[in-house]
Amino acid sequence: MSVLVVGSIALDTVKTPVEEHSDLLGGSASYAALAASFFSPVKLVGVVGSDFPESEFAFWKARKIDSEGVQRVSGKTFRWSGEYSWDLNTRRTQSIALNVFEHFKPELPDSYRKTDFVLLANIAPSLQTHVLDQMDRPRFIAADTMDLWIETARKDLDALLPRIDLLILNDSEAREITKETSLIKAGRQIRRMGPRHVAIKKGEHGALLFGEDEFFSCGAYPLEDIHDPTGAGDTFAGAIAGYLAGRVGTVHFTDLRKAMIYGSVLASFCVEAFSLERLRTLSMDEINQRYETFKLMSQFEVTG
Amino acid sequence: MSVLVVGSIALDTVKTPVEEHSDLLGGSASYAALAASFFSPVKLVGVVGSDFPESEFAFWKARKIDSEGVQRVSGKTFRWSGEYSWDLNTRRTQSIALNVFEHFKPELPDSYRKTDFVLLANIAPSLQTHVLDQMDRPRFIAADTMDLWIETARKDLDALLPRIDLLILNDSEAREITKETSLIKAGRQIRRMGPRHVAIKKGEHGALLFGEDEFFSCGAYPLEDIHDPTGAGDTFAGAIAGYLAGRVGTVHFTDLRKAMIYGSVLASFCVEAFSLERLRTLSMDEINQRYETFKLMSQFEVTG
């Protein structure tokens, strides 16, 4: 089955202590769609300007990412620029130019409305809701969010949460939205706000998954060298949604576990190079190999 | 087989935002020995003053913790007092009175010298070394350490490390001793300082284990309510050493994995009550039940 992915499409300028790259493909939907495409066909929703490289449309086509839902508007593409600290653990946004994104209102092509799986990648909750309102009863809805929306669009976010099957957010956001220090308490409390499942991303410490009376904890794939952390969270969310859409049958907690692992594996590849460069050349064999290595590294008991 | 445990024995006064308790049993060896005793007989080494409760000796005896190596010296027992922050994540030492611990020099009874497994719980590296020097080729040596020794006794610590099979330390200490931000780099670098294996404790985020070309990552058992974090690290180390001693045959990486899990499980019980109160009433059934729950919560794929 397909997965609809809506979010931002941007041209990013990213500076780390050792490298700087300008105008590379970025945005939550770009990362999420490419990560999802390893597991299922993708229907992409977003907006780009007239300066957006035609080659990316060709790349999406080659990857079975349907770009009919990507609006092309005259003007400049959304631009983000950021700089990472020496240890890559914190980043400072240097500039944001919303450009064509400022008046973006996602409109779904008819062919998108019956898509069974949806990933509302990180954009304003009002836009995420607007997408859901155009859909014909999707089977599974995942949503990502960020601190900005918790702080500036809390009412919209609260209204969205009960419609969500899986909410994905990071540890500091989980603490912020609940005012709880304990992530265990926070995860359980967020579930009571509406989402059926909550995934809390903890960066180098892995991720936690909360369901009704169910819980899953996984570490992060151990990496010594990280080149660019940008998009790791979007990649994580995209792989989860893609993996779930690529399966057959009802989504059980056990499927969500595997989805989280594929999310972690794809995110671990994402940060090995700037922008989407590593994901562009990644193969399913490499993904499955890392999945197996990761499994072995996390198993309590190893047999045979 | 037995495990020799050497470390501090103290009477602790601990204040959390909700409770305060005075003169309860504490110290690295007290926690470690009791945790180890669930898995194997323990030979305890330490020092107490004339004010130390006789009832603790009776308790040790009932738990097959041999206290022949515990020196009773006239004077007061080592006392520590600390206060935890509102979220229990940081603690401030309010007072330390070394008392009889100030001139402590661990001397092993003859019956201790051939013990196969050793846990050098958290005390000065020079004392840890002094214990090893009295032993007759133990099969496996685990050692815990802390920031204080990294800062004030680095030379002693560096000399000890090559003699160690498993070094246990927490994330901030691993970063401090290596000047590395990445815990993956730090763990591998510490191995190059001498210990065959390195376990890095990450509190609520679990623990990492580094061996030669081998790696294991586990989360923490999810707890909503923590009453007193004191001794969690000592309990973790004690359970690891006890579990390894309680098995038969050579210690393989796969045994260390299970040991880490038992360490996490025992630590999760430890923090449920003040001092050693929860560990005193804990049963092996409760431990095994939590081990199984924890395993299920961490499994990538669940069958059956």
Side-chain angles (χ1 to χ4, degrees), chain A residues 157-177:
Chain A
L157 184 58
D158 283 344
L160 176 69
L161 292 184
R163 301 175 70 177
I164 301 300
D165 294 290
L166 172 66
L167 180 70
I168 300 164
L169 74 181
N170 74 26
D171 45 2
S172 65
E173 291 154 4
R175 290 189 168 112
E176 187 174 353
I177 203 171

Side-chain angles (χ1 to χ4, degrees), chain A residues 2 8-9 19 32 58 64 93 184 187 203 217 271:
Chain A
S2 301
S8 62
I9 301 173
E19 284 175 90
K64 297 199 173 155
T93 292
I184 304 301
S217 164
V271 302

Side-chain angles (χ1 to χ4, degrees), chain A residues 217 257 291 296 299 301, chain B residues 217 257 291 296-297 299 301:
Chain A
S217 164
R257 283 172 192 254
Y291 178 98
L296 194 69
Q299 262 173 346
E301 291 157 24
Chain B
S217 164
R257 285 172 192 253
Y291 178 99
L296 194 70
M297 285 172 170
Q299 261 174 345
E301 293 157 21

Side-chain angles (χ1 to χ4, degrees), chain B residues 1 39-40 117 139 242-252 255-256 258-259:
Chain B
M1 267 178 273
F39 306 97
S40 68
F117 287 77
R139 282 176 47 197
Y243 173 77
L244 294 174
R247 301 169 41 265
V248 176
T250 314
V251 174
H252 295 291
D255 304 309
L256 287 166
K258 285 188 77 168

